[in-house]
Amino acid sequence: MEINVYKDKQEVAEQFSAYFAETANADGVFHVALSGGSTPKIVFDVLAENFSNKIDWGKIHFYWGDERCVPPTDDQSNYKMTVEHLFSKIQVPKENIHRILGENDPHSEAMRYANLLEINLDRVEEIPQFDLVILGMGDDGHTASIFPHEIDLWDEADHCVVARHPESGQRRVSINGKVINQAKEVVFLVTGASKKEKVKSVIERKSGSEKYPATLVNPKSGKLIWFLDKDAASQLD
Ligand code: 6PG
């Protein structure tokens, strides 16, 4: 586990973008699962504005680790957020963008997306393998859309599951633990003081942290990298 702490969100975005450019340009087609929520917005802005001519976008295929079960035009849509902050600013072939169809029936979409991953990605031990999975972490320790109250979804046999947000009840389609931990590399992008307790608990594996899905992220490749700002990392030893 590699832990990088930067002074603020802007520096996290800049440093991650440099890492992404280097990793994605390395070789061949690159399959990446994006995270949603608000943290990626500044990261995608920096990636698009400072690195657009440094990355061969044509060889990158974009997927999502999770998506809200809403239409792609809804402000809650992770796809819509990514179009606004990234895809609207770079030249990426539309056939390289594999969104989760939030407007579809959640259970049938989870199956469809799982099949898509099986077709598009190499499979290792029958599990689709991403080159990179980007994750955020909620204040409650959730990651992707696996929440503490449904932590059993983490180990479900299917590659994609249907989850519910604990407060809003909003349904989500999410990849689960097997797919996340099969990735060649996993990156956490976590910023802000509201995350500091969970960052400490998860990274230092404090007692009780096993109930947070973020704690279960443990890629078989061993390549887990945290990009944190000082606020989120402020309680780390
Ligand atoms: C989502 C994300 C989710 C997110 C965390 C952190 O669809 O909301 O995939 O897992 O990464 O909730 O969200 P913030 O970056 O907004 O704090």
Side-chain angles (χ1 to χ4, degrees), residues 17-199:
S17 296
Y19 155 86
F20 183 82
E22 185 186 343
T23 307
N25 283 337
D27 52 26
V29 175
F30 188 80
H31 298 279
V32 55
L34 302 176
S35 61
S38 57
T39 300
K41 292 177 181 174
I42 185 171
V43 175
F44 292 164
D45 288 341
V46 168
L47 200 53
E49 286 146 23
N50 301 10
F51 288 79
S52 60
N53 57 1
K54 298 186 177 79
I55 294 174
D56 177 1
W57 300 104
K59 63 191 274 283
I60 302 176
H61 282 255
F62 293 91
Y63 306 77
W64 277 263
D66 66 314
E67 180 59 279
R68 291 80 179 278
C69 294
V70 295
T73 52
D74 189 301
D75 285 343
Q76 277 283 313
S77 164
N78 287 332
Y79 166 77
K80 181 172 187 277
M81 180 273 287
T82 312
V83 169
E84 285 168 358
H85 292 271
L86 181 61
F87 295 148
S88 58
K89 304 173 190 171
I90 60 172
Q91 299 301 315
V92 57
K94 63 180 185 310
E95 59 271 18
N96 287 27
I97 298 172
H98 310 281
R99 73 178 179 92
I100 297 172
L101 307 179
E103 66 274 27
N104 281 3
D105 166 72
H107 288 283
S108 53
E109 180 56 18
M111 279 175 55
R112 185 197 73 83
Y113 207 66
N115 290 332
L116 175 81
L117 297 183
E118 292 212 351
I119 293 164
N120 286 15
L121 306 183
D122 290 339
R123 270 179 275 167
V124 175
E125 297 156 359
E126 293 310 303
I127 298 168
Q129 183 176 55
F130 280 106
D131 293 294
L132 174 62
V133 171
I134 302 170
L135 296 173
M137 185 185 69
D139 298 0
D140 60 356
H142 83 260
T143 193
S145 277
I146 311 293
F147 294 91
H149 75 295
E150 294 177 323
I151 197 163
D152 293 347
L153 291 177
W154 183 265
D155 287 318
E156 277 224 348
D158 299 327
H159 304 326
C160 293
V161 293
V162 177
R164 270 193 192 279
H165 191 281
E167 275 104 49
S168 66
Q170 182 188 65
R171 288 199 288 185
R172 311 273 187 92
V173 171
S174 179
I175 60 175
N176 71 353
K178 287 193 317 308
V179 175
I180 290 170
N181 284 333
Q182 195 71 294
K184 290 179 183 170
E185 294 195 28
V186 178
V187 162
F188 268 113
L189 295 177
V190 183
T191 60
S194 69
K195 311 288 174 78
K196 65 186 179 192
E197 285 88 7
K198 293 297 184 297
V199 162

